Amino acid sequence: MQTEHLSITGMTCGGCTTKITRALKAIPGVGEVTVSLSLGDATIQYDEKQTSIEQLKLAINTAGYGVGKGEVVKKSGGKGGCCG
């Protein structure tokens, strides 16, 4: 299992974290997912033989949120997600 930490933009409430968690867990090979609204990030454990970081990012983008790698950067505005 591989662990990836991604910064996520556009989250505004608990509903956003739930939406992102569901999108990530729907991907075959994804195990544990922790999404933090207060930190603006997600920690994802996944089997690199079944999925890739690109697929994880695509799922987050498709759910309506922005994604980056590395240092967590909070942005106001951005993609609206579920709330705006």
Side-chain angles (χ1 to χ4, degrees), residues 8 23-24 28 33-34 39 51-52 54 56 61-63 65 72-73 76:
I8 300 177
L24 290 168
V33 175
T34 304
L39 296 176
T51 192
S52 66
E54 291 79 18
L56 302 176
N61 289 147
T62 300
Y65 303 89
V72 174
V73 179
S76 59

Side-chain angles (χ1 to χ4, degrees), residues 40-82:
D41 71 356
T43 302
I44 308 129
Q45 291 182 347
Y46 65 100
D47 182 346
E48 62 275 11
K49 293 178 183 174
Q50 294 185 41
T51 192
S52 66
I53 186 64
E54 291 79 18
Q55 289 175 312
L56 302 176
K57 289 180 179 181
L58 179 61
I60 294 168
N61 289 147
T62 300
Y65 303 89
V67 63
K69 184 175 178 177
E71 183 179 339
V72 174
V73 179
K74 287 198 152 212
K75 295 181 182 177
S76 59
K79 292 186 178 183
C82 67

